[in-house]
Amino acid sequence: IAAALLVALVAREAAAWQRTPLPRAAATRLWSGAAPPREADVAVILLAGGVGSRMKADRPKQFLSLNGKPVLMHSLELFLSLEGIAQIVVVLDESYRSDFAGYEDARLCFADPGAERQDSVRNGFAQCAPDAALICIHDAARPLVTPQAIYDVIADAREHGAAVLGVPVKPTVKESADGAFVLKTLERKRLWEVQTPQVIQPHLLDEGFRAVEKDNLEVTDDVSIVEQIGKPVKLTLGDYTNLKLTTPDDMIYAAAILQQRS
């Protein structure tokens, strides 16, 4: 009974997230969804090489079952179903690749994970077709992204060079220098929580990688590479339900959101 009540509560909160008032500019974006790409020229890098130690599970989180299938398969099957996708590079340790034996799709290939996220992206980028117009990078640990959000961020990257899904931050955010005392309160209306996919034109990604490697920088998300070379990154309004699965509680929320959608 307690579990059923928790799922019902989470489903109600998930529906409420969708109704949360947004800043005027963001709210306007909700009603201007982009159309699917006219031609298949997008290469997807699907990052699935993480260990997920905070999940405290017996396997990497991308292989945990979510509504009857592994977390990774939610994203993979979604991208395989979308228009405009020319290639999907799954960044995954070789020991897990046998699970994909049933996917006979010429668009699917693999790359090895790297020591850091940017290394994994670099390895995936090396496998992308040279004629790809856009590189779409997505975390397999975000299985709740919607087709419309993907089409929107692809359209923005096509127009502006680079784009990232995100949502306006809701809580008040404090900055601390020592982790013990508040340094200052950040201006919430200027803050966005970024998600994936993050979509970048190949020449910008290549230039950004060269700059990052030259200066020996470590970046934690993909469009940061573009920021390093001083190029603009478009914020594309996403959904608050596009969660990143990190802890066991996230799995409960994700299952409830999927149940509410269906």
Side-chain angles (χ1 to χ4, degrees), residues 103-151:
Y103 285 87
E104 296 180 357
D105 194 305
R107 294 175 295 169
L108 187 62
C109 65
F110 297 93
D112 293 326
E116 304 294 341
R117 178 194 177 90
Q118 67 198 58
D119 302 317
S120 293
V121 174
R122 184 66 150 159
N123 292 347
F125 185 38
Q127 297 298 319
C128 291
D131 60 348
L134 293 169
I135 308 299
C136 175
I137 305 161
H138 184 62
D139 287 327
R142 290 188 185 270
L144 303 177
V145 67
T146 63
Q148 190 58 63
I150 295 171
Y151 288 143

Side-chain angles (χ1 to χ4, degrees), residues 25-148:
T28 302
R29 186 71 177 88
L30 279 174
W31 305 104
S32 56
R38 294 181 180 179
E39 56 183 299
D41 61 358
V42 179
V44 175
I45 300 175
L46 186 55
L47 298 173
V51 175
S53 58
R54 283 177 288 179
M55 191 62 75
K56 299 179 180 178
D58 61 351
R59 71 200 78 174
K61 60 187 174 183
Q62 58 269 29
F63 295 105
L64 295 176
S65 179
L66 177 62
N67 280 27
K69 61 184 175 183
V71 167
L72 169 58
M73 299 309 179
H74 286 270
S75 295
L76 176 61
E77 292 176 1
L78 173 58
F79 278 106
L80 286 171
S81 73
L82 296 181
E83 298 179 48
I85 305 302
Q87 182 183 16
I88 301 175
V89 182
V90 182
V91 180
L92 181 67
D93 189 89
E94 189 172 0
S95 61
Y96 294 103
R97 294 178 192 175
S98 60
D99 296 342
F100 295 83
Y103 285 87
E104 296 180 357
D105 194 305
R107 294 175 295 169
L108 187 62
C109 65
F110 297 93
D112 293 326
E116 304 294 341
R117 178 194 177 90
Q118 67 198 58
D119 302 317
S120 293
V121 174
R122 184 66 150 159
N123 292 347
F125 185 38
Q127 297 298 319
C128 291
D131 60 348
L134 293 169
I135 308 299
C136 175
I137 305 161
H138 184 62
D139 287 327
R142 290 188 185 270
L144 303 177
V145 67
T146 63
Q148 190 58 63

Side-chain angles (χ1 to χ4, degrees), residues 141-165:
R142 290 188 185 270
L144 303 177
V145 67
T146 63
Q148 190 58 63
I150 295 171
Y151 288 143
D152 287 347
V153 72
I154 285 174
D156 280 346
R158 197 179 297 278
E159 179 179 354
H160 300 283
V164 55
L165 276 184

